[in-house]
Each structure stands twice: as structure tokens, then as C-alpha cells.
Amino acid sequence: MNEGQARQKIERSAKAEALLRNEILQDGFKYLEGQFIEAWRNSSVGDTESRERLYQLLQNLDALKGYFQSVIEDGKLAQMQLDEVKRQTDFNNRQR
């Protein structure tokens, strides 16, 4: 990964963190999860299709949250790589 790509991942990471700290987005996640679970609880015994769809919706919601976490982790790794390159460069410059 080059420096430009690393910086792009770091920037995306900061944006993803800001989204996950956003109160309205968090409220939306909680609201949807609650609605899906409540609909599942209220579904009839024979309505397996609806329950399966609700399960998929919950899985998709978790996948979205997981994607944001993945972007954040990628940014942290990219920052660590940039920091290591900087340390190596500084060390090499001191050796000269």
C-alpha cells in the first residue's frame, strides 16, 4: 500500500468513526433493530417467510455495522503502517 492509499483509508476511517458516533444514526440502528425484533415476536407461528425476512433484515443491519467497523480497523492499520514508515525514515536519517 502506498502513502496515498494509506491516507485515503485513514480518512475513510475517520468518516466511519464519525458516523458511528452520530446519535441519529445510532438511534436509527436501535430503532430498526427494535422494530424487526418486535415484528418477529408478533409474527404468527405459520409465518415462516416473514420471520426469515426479518432475520435477514437483522443480519443486514449487523453487516452494515460490521462494515463501518472494518473501515475503522483498516484506517487504524494504515495509520500504524504510516507511523512505521516514518519511524524507519527518521531512524535512517539519523544514521547518516
Side-chain angles (χ1 to χ4, degrees):
M1 167 181 354
N2 66 36
E3 184 177 349
Q5 291 169 325
R7 292 199 184 283
Q8 183 180 31
K9 287 185 180 219
I10 294 165
E11 185 178 316
R12 288 173 49 83
S13 175
K15 290 176 181 179
E17 281 187 285
L19 282 172
L20 287 182
R21 283 192 312 265
N22 183 294
E23 182 180 339
I24 294 172
L25 184 63
Q26 288 302 312
D27 288 348
F29 284 150
K30 288 175 189 171
Y31 173 79
L32 288 173
E33 185 174 353
Q35 291 294 303
F36 298 155
I37 291 171
E38 188 62 26
W40 169 76
R41 285 182 179 149
N42 292 328
S43 64
S44 65
V45 172
D47 195 1
T48 56
E49 186 177 319
S50 289
R51 282 196 306 279
E52 183 64 27
R53 187 181 57 228
L54 290 163
Y55 174 79
Q56 289 299 321
L57 288 169
L58 280 167
Q59 293 299 312
N60 291 340
L61 193 59
D62 284 341
L64 181 59
K65 292 176 193 176
Y67 173 75
F68 288 137
Q69 287 297 332
S70 175
V71 170
I72 291 167
E73 291 303 314
D74 285 349
K76 288 179 181 178
L77 290 172
Q79 184 64 60
M80 289 170 50
Q81 290 173 341
L82 280 181
D83 292 345
E84 181 60 29
V85 167
K86 185 177 181 335
R87 278 193 290 279
Q88 288 292 328
T89 302
D90 290 348
F91 177 78
N92 289 339
N93 288 339
R94 278 187 248 130
Q95 296 296 317
R96 293 181 188 170

